[in-house]
Amino acid sequence: MEAARTTPAFVLDERPMLDGWLEYHRETLARKCEGLNAEQLAARSVPPSSMSLLGLVRHMAEVERFWFRRCFAGESDVRSIYCSKDDRDGDFDNASAENVDEGFATWRAECDVARAIGANAALEALSAKLHDDANVPMRWLLTHMIEEYARHNGHADLLRECIDGTTGD
């Protein structure tokens, strides 16, 4: 089943525009992964990089978790899922065909939590925790998340083309 993806309208208020583009990019990543088996999703297509489509999904789960839960909501008991001080790239390095279902389920769950946190915050609302000595406004966080997904969706384009030749948005 193809991931449902809607391009935001050209004329919207700021909040629906930001939320719409973030959803668009979340679903773009899902589309880039559709129709592949576990081995293909875990394949590292551009040696010596450990980047894979599954690694990108796991990485975005970490990113969603960090910005929305740890930084914005201030959930100090929420730790990294795949990465640690001793394994900073665990989201990519430890991605394997055996953990595809878990990786996608975790990413989708973190997106759901992020949506819930974001839905209750005004664009001007500031993060509970400091990041780089500043409280981050929700407006900045949403813009950053759009940028993060857009950049990694570019990686996903290249990875997918290496796997089976599929191109497109």
Side-chain angles (χ1 to χ4, degrees), residues 41-163:
L41 289 166
R44 282 140 173 98
S45 301
V46 188
S49 174
S50 65
M51 189 180 295
S52 64
L53 288 168
L54 176 59
L56 287 173
V57 167
R58 289 163 45 109
H59 175 69
M60 292 313 300
E62 290 278 20
V63 171
E64 296 269 3
R65 186 177 184 93
F66 174 81
W67 284 109
F68 284 96
R69 295 179 72 179
R70 292 178 67 193
C71 184
F72 195 82
E75 295 180 21
S76 57
D77 59 331
V78 171
R79 299 287 174 231
S80 293
I81 307 162
Y82 306 110
C83 303
S84 68
K85 186 176 152 188
D86 297 328
D87 191 5
R88 297 183 64 82
D89 292 322
D91 44 0
F92 291 108
D93 293 346
N94 303 319
S96 68
E98 293 77 34
N99 54 34
V100 166
D101 291 340
E102 178 278 328
F104 277 86
T106 298
W107 172 57
R108 293 247 183 241
E110 289 300 328
C111 289
D112 288 343
V113 172
R115 283 183 198 98
I117 291 169
N120 296 318
L123 290 175
E124 298 78 21
L126 298 175
S127 63
K129 292 187 102 174
L130 294 176
H131 181 73
D132 290 340
D133 298 323
N135 291 99
V136 177
M138 179 55 71
R139 176 181 286 105
W140 184 94
L141 190 157
L142 292 171
T143 303
H144 173 67
M145 290 299 296
I146 293 165
E147 175 272 329
E148 183 87 12
Y149 271 101
R151 180 166 33 102
H152 289 311
N153 284 338
H155 297 133
D157 282 336
L158 296 172
L159 289 163
R160 181 64 189 250
E161 188 172 4
C162 286
I163 292 167

Side-chain angles (χ1 to χ4, degrees), residues 20-34:
W21 278 111
L22 180 52
E23 288 304 321
Y24 176 89
H25 282 291
R26 284 172 173 150
E27 291 310 317
T28 296
L29 181 58
R31 277 183 170 209
K32 292 295 170 185
C33 298
E34 285 178 341

